[in-house]
Amino acid sequence: MGSHRNALVAVVRQELAEARGTARAVLAAAESARSEALRRKQLIRDAYSTCLAQLAEAREAAREDILRRTRSEAGSLTRNVESLAALYASGAAGTAWRYWTPTEPDRVTRPGLLRIGTIGYDPGDGERRLPALVPLLDHAHLNLAGDREAVDGVISGLLLRALGTTRPGDVRLTVYDPEQLGGTLAAFAPLGNAGLLSFIGPGGLGAVLDDLVEQICRVNETVLAGEYASLAELIAATTGPRPEPWRIIVLLADAELSPDQRAQLDRIARTGVACGVHLVVRGLELAPHPTVERIEVHGETATCDTIGDLTVRLDAAPPPERIAGFCRATAEKLRQGPPPARFADLEPEKLWLESSAHGLSAPIGDSTDGSLISVPLGDDPPHALIGGPSGSGKTNLIYAWIGSLAARYGPEELAFYLLDFKEGVSFARFAPGPRDPSWLPQVRLAGINVNGDREFGLALLRHLGEELRARAQAAKRHEASKLAELRAEDPAGHWPRIVAVIDEFQVLLAGRDAVAEEAVTLLEDLARRGRSQGIHLVLASQDVSGIEALWGRSGLIGQFTLRIALPKARRILSDTNLAAAVIPRFHAVVNADSGAAGANHIVRLPDAGDRQTWRTLQRKLWHRRPDSCVPPRLFDGDAVPRLPTAYRPAGRVVQSGGDIGSSPGAVLGERIDVAARPARLRLGRMPGRNLAVLGTRTDEACDVLAAAALSLAAQGPARFSVVCLEPGAERPAARLVAELPQADWYGSGDLDQFFDVLAPDGIPHYVLGYALDAAGASYRDRWRALLTDGPEQRIHVLGWWRSVPRLRDDLGGPGARLDTIGAWVALDVQGPELSPLSPQPGGPVWYPRARRALFFDRSVHRHPEVIIPYEVNSDHT
């Protein structure tokens, strides 16, 4: 019994133990599941928090991006609106009264909008104020309503802005103010002294309305006759003053009109804007029409049709004293007459649209009534003569004419050749310079500071003569007699008209020498035949003696039928034509009938000399130039040309294309010619192919020898022997030796060695002698033998002798023949001294001048030519 109980207890205990173990296992599993659930719950919460943070960050970034883009677009929109406001209401039309000043427009600017106040606008960075603009001239009538005092202030401001943005006399006011008898706009009364303002009495409105309707009918007939849609379109197609001023009728009436007056008013409202007639009405209701702008004034604010629902904060009315001061100044300007045309007014609306096939025509200024005066050049008149004393504005006139022509005719239609014989750089601005790389595309040549280089003027006339012959031959092939016919037959030929301007031309004709004689002959030929081939001469002078130089040549002066006389000019017009004696400064008399009294046109000249104004036009034309357009040749008589790199040993570019020819060519200097070409000396195997440089100017003599040697070295293998017998020339001679590829140096003590080693070897050998007259009598026979026999052995002497007598002594004395010197360059040697070397009896007509030389090559020249020695060694600069 006891054992059974014990067994039962053991079983119970065992089951209890198993139950407790199972319970503990289940509890542990539950605890584990609970912990995992809590962990996952925490993870979810953390992920949720992270997601919320990320969403908040993304939302904030998107918000910031939207705000940034909103601010950027709003700022851009604001700037665009401000730019448009500044464009359509520039200057006096849109400036606040605190900074307001009148701004007179140019001839092509049309009326814009007028400011009445500002509009508040928040682009995101704080409130900004934009100008509130309304139309008036050429755009609308204004119908204002609201508080009378505020409306009168708006009207005063609009009228002042309209007057301040137009030229004096372009706007005329008519005021109908029956209650105040004109007192509302009394500040504008000074305009009445100039006929720009009239006040209407209580019974005069009907007559004024009838007069306005008649004016509208008259303008409409004029517009229709010209096939234009409106007066504004007619004015836009023309230059000069308006054919009719704007009429602004201010009606300050609070009473009803009669039926006839209302009918006339409605007719004006419908048709007046297109004819320059505008209504500004307070107290009356105008009939609805697209040209009627309504403005509702509410104290210091207003709304209007143009701006829509936006509220305008009105500007304060302009002070009466400011209105009165402006009106007095305007009346005074009108009494003085319209101001002269500005240089910019001569520019057409579109550039380079004109054809020069049948002639040239361009304005140079305006008349006293403001209309532009054009000056023609073509078959009649073919050439122009300009005259006026110093300070009368001759250069300014030439600038104005050149600029006006250049703006109308492109480089394919017009070519300028400009030459200034007075001391100055008047035409330098048309060529590229160190400060301004632009140039006038039509200019082919500009010569400045050529008062000492009459030969350059002669070279220009020769060039024009060659151009004339080429065009005449082309015309003959095409059976044409004039440039227009030739261009019609040969449009691909691109024959532009040529205008050659020669300022102070009398310098070229001065004297009784060969230069003057040839210049007169060439001028007469060009003047007579040039008109048919599109070549026109413009001669200008400030000296009456220059004009008189033409009067003695009837065949020449008769071709210059276009005369332009500046104040106090003499001998330009006919003797009975005294117009030039009475015109004021900045005026000119243009006469296309050889100066006859009945053909005068008085022109007021603009200020065309301002460099910035010119640069603006020139750069505009320069950027439009075709790819084929090349910079003009600028010849400066005061500048010394440098030896081009191509003529130095490092250049090595000559020797092809026939530029040098079969014989080596020594470059001695620059020719005084239209093209910048070098003067060359051929050194072939013929007797006398030696060079003598004559004169005492050491620097120039050294430069001539150095240029010759370096250019010869650039052409191929050669030997050089430098014989320096002058201490003052040792430095430039040494520099030359250092630059030559193969050169031997010989001083005064090395002459025996020089002659001992001198022997032909088939390679050209050039002996450069510095002051060879210092060698002494003991070496004269050797030098004569070398000069005589050397060229056939390809040994050439390029020597410097300090005088012709010394050269003659070295060659055998007074009776010696100088055939061994085939070419010479004379520096400071008078013409008669060169008679032993010149084919002209008594020597050439030559008056030495600084940095000029006379070059003669017996094998090619009939007469010596003037050259400019290149600058090679800069020791003397």
Side-chain angles (χ1 to χ4, degrees), residues 430-486:
F430 305 130
R435 295 184 179 180
D436 186 5
S438 69
W439 70 86
L440 199 62
Q442 293 88 346
V443 174
R444 306 289 178 84
L445 170 73
I448 60 176
N449 292 317
V450 293
N451 51 302
D453 290 303
R454 298 166 64 222
E455 297 85 1
F456 189 77
L458 196 59
L460 171 60
L461 297 181
R462 289 171 180 165
H463 175 78
L464 296 177
E466 293 173 0
E467 181 73 19
L468 175 62
R469 286 188 291 273
R471 295 188 177 195
Q473 291 174 1
K476 186 176 181 180
R477 289 195 302 269
H478 291 278
E479 298 181 354
S481 61
K482 296 182 180 180
L483 178 66
E485 299 172 3
L486 175 59

Side-chain angles (χ1 to χ4, degrees), residues 243-256:
E244 293 281 351
W246 285 290
R247 294 286 302 273
I248 298 180
I249 294 81
V250 183
L251 301 181
L252 307 177
D254 293 317
E256 289 295 328

Side-chain angles (χ1 to χ4, degrees), residues 561 563 572-574 576-577 589-601:
T561 55
R563 311 284 177 83
I572 291 289
L573 306 175
S574 65
T576 59
N577 191 346
V589 180
V590 177
N591 189 303
D593 192 17
S594 300
N600 291 339
H601 291 278

Side-chain angles (χ1 to χ4, degrees), residues 537-601:
L537 302 174
V538 177
L539 305 184
S541 176
Q542 66 181 16
D543 188 352
V544 67
S545 62
I547 306 301
E548 289 176 344
L550 294 181
W551 284 104
R553 301 177 171 94
S554 58
L556 183 58
I557 189 65
Q559 301 295 330
F560 289 82
T561 55
L562 177 59
R563 311 284 177 83
I564 303 179
L566 293 157
K568 303 301 185 291
R570 293 185 295 166
R571 303 304 302 258
I572 291 289
L573 306 175
S574 65
D575 293 338
T576 59
N577 191 346
L578 305 179
V582 297
I583 59 173
R585 292 187 62 193
F586 312 116
H587 287 65
V589 180
V590 177
N591 189 303
D593 192 17
S594 300
N600 291 339
H601 291 278

Side-chain angles (χ1 to χ4, degrees), residues 337-400:
R342 296 177 298 175
F343 181 61
D345 295 335
L346 304 184
E347 181 181 334
E349 187 174 352
K350 293 184 179 180
L351 303 173
W352 293 356
L353 291 183
E354 302 293 333
S355 170
S356 66
H358 298 281
L360 302 168
S361 181
I364 62 172
D366 63 358
S367 65
T368 54
D369 64 359
S371 59
L372 293 177
I373 299 296
S374 293
V375 177
L377 275 180
D379 290 345
D380 186 23
H383 311 292
L385 189 61
I386 301 174
S390 178
S392 60
K394 174 169 57 66
T395 301
N396 180 72
L397 165 64
I398 294 173
Y399 282 162

